C-alpha cells in the first residue's frame, strides 16, 4: 500500500522504480548513462583526469591541502547535480541508501586501505539543521558505516557559526573564515586517522577547513570522500 502511495524512486532521475531496480535504488537507464569515476583521477580531489601524465588536476595544483586525499564516485554533471539538490534540499533522504551502496562498491577499498577509525560527516549549523530537518552528510556516513563497519562520529566536529558573507575576501581570508566556523567538542580524543564525508567536493575549502580543525585537535591524518566532485582536468 505504501509503495503505491509513495513508490520508490530512482536516486538519479527521480523516476519510479520497478522490479529489481527497487532494491538497487537507481533505474537501469541511469545506471547505464551516469558514469562512475575511474583512473586516471586527480590524486588530491579525485576528479577524473584526461591522461595518466598528470597526478593533480589544474585546480589542485594551487589549492592548499592538509587532507591526504578525497575520492568521489561521480563527476558533478547535470544528472548528479539535480539528484544531490533533491537529496539536500527537497527531503529525498532515501537517496542515501543508493549513494551509500555505490560508495561502498567504488570506494570500499579506499576506506579500508586508509586505515581510518571513524567517519566524520561535515556538520551543518544547528539552525540549518532545524529548518532542513536533517544533515545529508550524516545520512551518507550512516549508510557507508552500515556497509563497511567503520563507526560514525557525528558529535565530535560541530559547525558553531553559519558562514557569513564571504564577498570581497581573498581565498586565504575565506578559508580562515570557514575554519573559524568549525569546532571540536572535546579535546584529547584518541583518534588516529579519520575520514570526512560530504555530498560534494567543489572548491575543497570546506574539507580543508575541517581538516585543519581536526589536525589541531590531535587527529593524525584526515581523508575525505564525497558522492561527487567537480570536473578537474
Ligand atoms: Zn533514473
Ligand atoms: Zn584535483
Amino acid at each position: 500500500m505504501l509503495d503505491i502511495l509513495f513508490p520508490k524512486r530512482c536516486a538519479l532521475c527521480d523516476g519510479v522504480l520497478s522490479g529489481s531496480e527497487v532494491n538497487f535504488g537507481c533505474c537501469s537507464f541511469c545506471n547505464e548513462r551516469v558514469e562512475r569515476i575511474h583512473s586516471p583521477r586527480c590524486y588530491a580531489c579525485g576528479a577524473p583526469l584526461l591522461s595518466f601524465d598528470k597526478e593533480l588536476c589544474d585546480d589542485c595544483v594551487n589549492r592548499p591541502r592538509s587532507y591526504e586525499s578525497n575520492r568521489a564516485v561521480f563527476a558533478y554533471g547535470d544528472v548528479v547535480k539535480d539528484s544531490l539538490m533533491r537529496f539536500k534540499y527537497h527531503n529525498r533522504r532515501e537517496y542515501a541508501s543508493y549513494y551509500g551502496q555505490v560508495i561502498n562498491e567504488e570506494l570500499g577499498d579506499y576506506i579500508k586501505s586508509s586505515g581510518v577509525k571513524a567517519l566524520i560527516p561535515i556538520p551543518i549549523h544547528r539552525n540549518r539543521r532545524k529548518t532542513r530537518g536533517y544533515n545529508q552528510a550524516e545520512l551518507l556516513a550512516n549508510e557507508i558505516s552500515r556497509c563497511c563497519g567503520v563507526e560514525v562520529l557525528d558529535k565530535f566536529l560541530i559547525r558553531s557559526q553559519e558562514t557569513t558573507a564571504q564577498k570581497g575576501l581573498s581565498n586565504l581570508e575565506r578559508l580562515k573564515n570557514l575554519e573559524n566556523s568549525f569546532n571540536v567538542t572535546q579535546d584529547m580524543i584518541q583518534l588516529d586517522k579519520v575520514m570526512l564525508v560530504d555530498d560534494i567536493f567543489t572548491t575543497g575549502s570546506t574539507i580543508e577547513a575541517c581538516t585543519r580543525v581536526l589536525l589541531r585537535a590531535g587527529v593524525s591524518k584526515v581523508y575525505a570522500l564525497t558522492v561527487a566532485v567537480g570536473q578537474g582536468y
Side-chain angles (χ1 to χ4, degrees):
M1 188 63 193
L2 274 175
D3 283 352
I4 296 168
L5 286 175
F6 304 104
K8 292 252 163 52
R9 292 179 174 276
C10 170
L12 293 177
C13 71
D14 210 46
V16 173
L17 299 175
S18 61
S20 60
E21 293 173 348
V22 173
N23 292 331
F24 186 44
C26 166
C27 76
S28 43
F29 175 63
C30 286
N31 193 38
E32 287 287 313
R33 72 176 171 151
V34 179
E35 264 185 73
R36 300 180 187 184
I37 298 174
H38 292 289
S39 303
R41 58 173 128 210
C42 171
Y43 179 77
C45 73
L49 294 175
L50 292 176
S51 82
F52 282 98
D53 297 343
K54 294 195 290 184
E55 278 203 333
L56 297 175
C57 71
D58 293 346
D59 288 340
C60 282
V61 171
N62 296 312
R63 219 175 236 164
R65 175 166 60 97
S66 311
Y67 53 92
E68 300 298 310
S69 54
N70 182 66
R71 288 292 175 270
V73 177
F74 301 113
Y76 197 48
D78 288 343
V79 177
V80 173
K81 186 176 173 183
D82 291 348
S83 161
L84 287 174
M85 285 290 280
R86 289 190 299 270
F87 176 53
K88 201 163 168 176
Y89 299 112
H90 301 285
N91 210 22
R92 284 276 190 256
R93 304 180 198 200
E94 70 268 31
Y95 289 3
S97 97
Y98 167 74
Y99 296 143
Q101 230 178 125
V102 290
I103 284 172
N104 274 288
E105 278 172 29
E106 298 296 324
L107 305 175
D109 287 345
Y110 170 65
I111 300 172
K112 210 184 246 171
S113 62
S114 67
V116 294
K117 295 287 179 289
L119 304 173
I120 299 185
I122 299 287
I124 55 175
H125 190 266
R126 61 175 185 279
N127 291 348
R128 189 164 293 188
R129 198 200 171 91
K130 219 178 259 173
T131 44
R132 198 184 293 168
Y134 60 101
N135 173 6
Q136 78 283 354
E138 213 177 289
L139 300 182
L140 282 172
N142 288 337
E143 282 298 327
I144 298 164
S145 170
R146 230 162 42 88
C147 305
C148 74
V150 178
E151 71 165 326
V152 179
L153 270 188
D154 56 6
K155 306 256 177 331
F156 180 52
L157 181 68
I158 57 159
R159 188 156 194 156
S160 42
Q161 278 172 49
E162 291 192 272
T163 319
T164 43
Q166 300 263 54
K167 235 177 154 188
L169 297 180
S170 72
N171 284 346
L172 222 64
E173 287 168 328
R174 265 170 218 242
L175 192 59
K176 195 76 214 151
N177 230 8
L178 200 56
E179 203 180 322
N180 289 335
S181 63
F182 293 100
N183 274 106
V184 290
T185 51
Q186 42 198 128
D187 284 333
M188 302 297 291
I189 192 165
Q190 292 299 312
L191 278 179
D192 184 17
K193 301 173 184 173
V194 301
M195 184 155 310
L196 288 166
V197 176
D198 206 1
D199 52 342
I200 172 140
F201 183 111
T202 39
T203 65
S205 50
T206 306
I207 283 175
E208 175 62 17
C210 288
T211 298
R212 291 180 182 194
V213 172
L214 290 171
L215 292 177
R216 266 208 311 272
V219 170
S220 71
K221 277 184 179 165
V222 179
Y223 294 80
L225 73 78
T226 53
V227 175
V229 61
Q231 299 277 7
Y233 300 126

